[in-house]
Amino acid sequence: QSRRLAVEFNVRGRDLVTVVHEAQSAVDRDVPLPTGYRVEWGGEFENFLTARKRLLIVVPLSLGLILFMLWLAFRALKPAILIFLNIPFAVIGGIVALWIRGIPFSISAGVGFIALFGVAVLNGLVLVAFARHLEEKGRDPADAIKEAAELRLRPVAMTALVAALGFFPMALSTAAGAEVQRPLATVVIGGLVTATALTLLFFPVVYRFAHRRKRP
């Protein structure tokens, strides 16, 4: 039950959070408030803070659920952790893609990372499942993961290509709502590039290292 004076402004061509932080610094520095007055920052910025708090819960929960499902699929922690290591491969590409395009991190970009986690895990799951199938036939783990990377190259690449092509129009969109679509699509496309490349090239090395046999 307090009186309120609303001061509204729009942000174009800049990061909303950075603009608000600059405005907050300017208000704290140049606008002395009489006793009983206070400043509250609302609108899209308030929505951003609320969504960010939710992401701090959703992202760890998603990662934990992914790890649990991987353990449930293999009934072993080692292959689950190995597949889980594909997630950093995807995160690298998403961050680099945002940096190249000059897009700040936003809630939609965070949602893009969550979607990216699933595709990255799927790539690793395809390789590990096939490699373990070969190991059951008596193949050495090093040879098994090498053959898995060679034979599963096309399925992994096609999965990433189809997903990237689907997000490509969103990444280049300039229509209404593009400010929400672009970060999400940029993260997914950039993450798919690095996740696919590093999964096929670097992941076999990690797999071989994890399954190396100790010499007597």
Side-chain angles (χ1 to χ4, degrees):
Q1 298 180 356
S2 301
R3 293 185 178 182
R4 182 183 67 173
L5 175 63
V7 180
E8 301 179 357
F9 65 94
N10 295 323
V11 178
R12 291 190 180 93
R14 292 195 60 192
D15 173 25
L16 172 65
V17 178
T18 302
V19 172
V20 172
H21 286 167
E22 292 178 357
Q24 288 175 334
S25 299
V27 169
D28 294 340
R29 182 181 65 250
D30 302 328
V31 182
L33 295 176
T35 303
Y37 284 75
R38 70 181 187 273
V39 177
E40 295 181 357
W41 300 83
E44 293 184 13
F45 179 71
E46 184 179 11
N47 295 334
F48 171 80
L49 295 180
T50 302
R52 186 174 64 179
K53 291 179 181 179
R54 292 177 181 174
L55 275 182
L56 293 177
I57 299 175
V58 172
V59 171
L61 184 62
S62 300
L63 294 175
L65 185 60
I66 289 173
L67 185 59
F68 173 74
M69 295 298 291
L70 291 174
W71 173 83
L72 201 62
F74 293 100
R75 295 293 181 177
L77 188 59
K78 189 174 185 179
I81 293 178
L82 285 174
I83 297 174
F84 197 77
L85 291 177
N86 282 322
I87 291 180
F89 297 163
V91 172
I92 292 173
I95 294 175
V96 171
L98 289 176
W99 175 73
I100 291 176
R101 299 198 64 189
I103 299 177
F105 181 82
S106 61
I107 300 303
S108 60
V111 174
F113 277 111
I114 295 176
L116 192 58
F117 295 160
V119 180
V121 167
L122 178 61
N123 291 342
L125 182 62
V126 170
L127 292 184
V128 171
F130 193 78
R132 287 172 63 90
H133 175 70
L134 294 177
E135 290 176 29
E136 292 175 357
K137 295 182 177 181
R139 300 291 296 276
D140 183 79
D143 296 333
I145 191 62
K146 180 181 178 181
E147 185 173 347
E150 294 174 353
L151 297 180
R152 300 291 95 184
L153 170 63
R154 184 161 53 184
V156 171
M158 286 299 298
T159 301
L161 181 61
V162 169
L165 290 177
F167 282 98
F168 200 74
M170 294 173 58
L172 301 179
S173 175
T174 56
E179 65 277 0
V180 176
Q181 300 175 4
R182 279 198 303 268
L184 189 152
T186 300
V187 165
V188 173
I189 293 174
L192 286 175
V193 172
T194 57
T196 303
L198 293 177
T199 297
L200 294 173
L201 298 176
F202 186 68
F203 181 75
V205 177
V206 177
Y207 190 90
R208 292 178 63 179
F209 180 79
H211 290 80
R212 72 187 188 280
R213 296 179 179 177
K214 295 181 180 181
R215 296 181 179 179

